[in-house]
Amino acid sequence: MDVKEIRKAVCEAGLRMCSTGLVAGTWGNISARVDQTHMLITPSGMDYKTLKPEDIVLVNIHDLKYEGTLKPSLETPLHAAIYRERPGINAVIHTHSTNACTVAAAHKEIPPILDDMVQIIGGSLRVASYALPGTDELVEYAIEKLEGRNAVILANHGPVCLGRSIEEAFVTCQVVEKAARVFIDAQLLGGAVRLKDEDVAFMHKFFLEKYGQK
Ligand SMILES: [Zn+2]
């Protein structure tokens, strides 16, 4: 995808994030990698319904300098750090989806309990310690808990979901929200049963490699 197409895809993901109920209002943020130095990210506090492709902000992931007059999302340092740390990741979506937020409020790590969850997330869904939005601490805690995973829950806040494409990051958001819902509901039945570590590793590898095969 070229820069123009990525801008459009980020806008479309914003609309979809609202229409599927993953966020309300102007919360949440979406970014996509452009190259080894730049990302495109939603601007701070703008309505997804009126967002235009040219409003998406081009940011240098190393020094966080940006082009244009619109300020990039408050969580720009976190998105940039993810692209620096994770070369295979090309899209990051942060939502405030309800069940993931319940888990965030309770500081409960979701163990590996569902096949789709472990395929796309890579194992348990960890909770990063609380830090104020936009701070260095938030970046540090989130990056630490993202090791070997494609999603993390920010304590008392919401999920951050990664993908090799915007589409994949969007699916990560949906699977995170479903896993949170199932984890909560399973408490009524005596609690979810954890998958074995070797099965988790196999499923994640299968997911990552299946697209590369003929
Ligand atoms: Zn947020």
Side-chain angles (χ1 to χ4, degrees), residues 167-184:
E167 181 56 36
E168 189 175 283
F170 200 89
V171 176
T172 310
C173 292
Q174 293 178 308
V175 169
V176 161
E177 179 59 7
K178 193 193 89 173
R181 175 68 195 268
V182 168
F183 176 62
I184 296 162

Side-chain angles (χ1 to χ4, degrees), residues 73-182:
S73 162
L74 181 64
E75 299 299 359
T76 291
L78 175 59
H79 289 250
I82 293 169
Y83 295 120
R84 290 196 306 269
E85 297 285 330
R86 304 281 295 270
I89 294 301
N90 297 312
V92 177
I93 304 179
H94 163 56
T95 78
H96 289 180
S97 60
T98 309
N99 291 291
C101 283
T102 302
V103 170
H107 292 211
K108 292 279 185 209
E109 174 170 321
I110 305 181
I113 52 171
L114 292 168
D115 276 2
D116 57 2
M117 170 200 180
V118 301
Q119 280 185 41
I120 201 158
I121 297 170
S124 59
L125 182 54
R126 305 184 190 113
V127 179
S129 304
Y130 185 77
L132 285 169
T135 59
D136 292 345
E137 288 77 19
L138 183 127
V139 174
E140 185 193 325
Y141 303 155
I143 293 290
E144 183 198 324
K145 299 290 182 178
L146 267 172
E147 197 187 340
R149 301 287 188 274
N150 278 347
V152 66
I153 300 276
L154 306 177
N156 307 91
H157 187 166
V160 176
C161 303
L162 283 50
R164 291 169 293 183
S165 63
I166 294 176
E167 181 56 36
E168 189 175 283
F170 200 89
V171 176
T172 310
C173 292
Q174 293 178 308
V175 169
V176 161
E177 179 59 7
K178 193 193 89 173
R181 175 68 195 268
V182 168

